Amino acid sequence: MTETATLADYLDVLLETARIPDYPGALNGLQLGNSGSVNKIAAAVDFSSRTVAAAIEQQANLLLVHHGMFWSGTRPLTGRRYELLRSLIENDVAVYSSHLPLDCHRTFGNNVLLSRELGLESSGTFAAYKGFPIGVRGSSNVATADLAERARQFAARQGGVTVITDFEPDAVSTSWAICTGSGASADTLQEAAGLGVNTLIVGEGPHWTAVEANEIGITIIYAGHYATETLGVSALAEHLAQQFHLDWIPIHAPTGL
């Protein structure tokens, strides 16, 4: 058993939480305390009634998530939100969330772990947010069809589906970039084009990005927002459990997106 504050402080330093900028609703760090100690960690992509219920069922008292409690902004704590908060407090479950600090981490980050999962070796960074690079990039001699199939199989294991824009049958992903989650945007497409990237791997993106990708000669592999962000929280929870001699469990709650 370890003090909750000790775990939160350790994660804040490891992930450089105070240094990495993020969206206002992220509120990275310890979002909900408990009575003061942790003996079991549950790791999930999203904070939701499904993941909270699973954490309680598994008798975890720290829920480690990528998308936290306040993702959709400040709302009244009434109805289902009140019941969800009450269940956390009554069952003594703390909540720690890490969004972009986890995405960009060079050991436990979603982007670097996804590159390894797909058999790619990163050699540079990609997709800066307020001056901090979030994604990774590199070069390879992997056929685009093979890379797309690796992504498809990975996403399927996470309960998702993969969409790939057009590419020639003999195309090779000589230069690739990864930005997990909502990774396809005007900024990432422009950056990819400027870097000579011919294969962009993301979680999801607006419809127009698929149209634009064809226009500028980039293949986009949309491997799913949920699927591409499953790796970081599990790796982080496993590390935390080993470091502090705690139990941990992954909670799988795919959204289909």
Side-chain angles (χ1 to χ4, degrees):
M1 188 169 291
T2 303
E3 290 186 1
T4 308
T6 299
L7 295 177
D9 290 345
Y10 178 84
L11 287 171
D12 286 346
V13 173
L14 177 68
L15 299 168
E16 299 184 273
T17 301
R19 192 174 75 92
I20 308 297
D22 211 328
Y23 306 104
L27 288 179
N28 296 310
L30 187 64
Q31 297 189 336
L32 179 68
N34 64 356
S35 63
S37 60
V38 172
N39 56 29
K40 190 174 186 178
I41 304 165
V45 174
D46 302 299
F47 175 85
S48 69
S49 57
R50 293 167 67 191
T51 56
V52 168
I56 292 171
E57 181 182 0
Q58 294 295 323
Q59 297 183 312
N61 44 9
L62 174 62
L63 178 58
L64 179 64
V65 295
H66 184 49
H67 302 130
M69 298 175 67
F70 310 105
W71 199 250
S72 55
T74 304
R75 294 186 183 184
L77 293 173
T78 58
R80 292 184 66 180
R81 288 182 175 272
Y82 166 75
E83 294 298 335
L84 188 56
L85 183 60
R86 185 176 74 169
S87 67
L88 285 165
I89 294 172
E90 288 180 347
N91 289 278
D92 201 30
V93 182
V95 179
Y96 188 100
S97 178
S98 184
H99 183 235
L100 292 186
L102 180 57
D103 276 331
C104 70
H105 197 272
R106 295 308 160 205
T107 302
F108 304 110
N110 286 313
N111 288 279
V112 69
L113 292 178
L114 181 59
S115 68
R116 293 173 187 166
E117 185 74 22
L118 298 178
L120 302 171
E121 184 174 348
S122 61
S123 57
T125 59
F126 181 71
Y129 177 75
K130 294 186 177 180
F132 286 82
I134 305 302
V136 295
R137 61 187 175 93
S139 58
S140 77
N141 59 359
V142 180
T144 304
D146 290 344
L147 184 55
E149 179 59 18
R150 294 177 193 178
R152 187 197 65 76
Q153 291 183 15
F154 167 74
R157 291 195 297 271
Q158 309 304 320
V161 296
T162 300
V163 175
I164 304 103
T165 59
D166 293 340
F167 59 88
E168 296 295 328
D170 59 349
V172 176
S173 295
T174 53
S175 180
W176 55 267
I178 294 177
C179 186
T180 61
S182 301
S185 68
D187 288 341
T188 56
L189 262 67
Q190 182 179 15
E191 183 179 358
L195 291 169
V197 166
N198 62 5
T199 306
L200 176 60
I201 304 162
V202 301
E204 63 173 328
H207 169 79
W208 69 263
T209 60
V211 177
E212 181 67 12
N214 287 331
E215 296 298 318
I216 61 178
I218 292 176
T219 297
I220 302 182
I221 300 174
Y222 302 89
H225 194 136
Y226 176 86
T228 60
E229 300 197 321
T230 54
L231 299 171
V233 284
S234 289
L236 188 60
E238 182 177 18
H239 169 78
L240 204 60
Q242 291 175 350
Q243 191 76 12
F244 292 93
H245 309 289
L246 302 169
D247 294 328
W248 82 280
I249 56 163
I251 294 175
H252 189 46
T255 61
L257 300 175

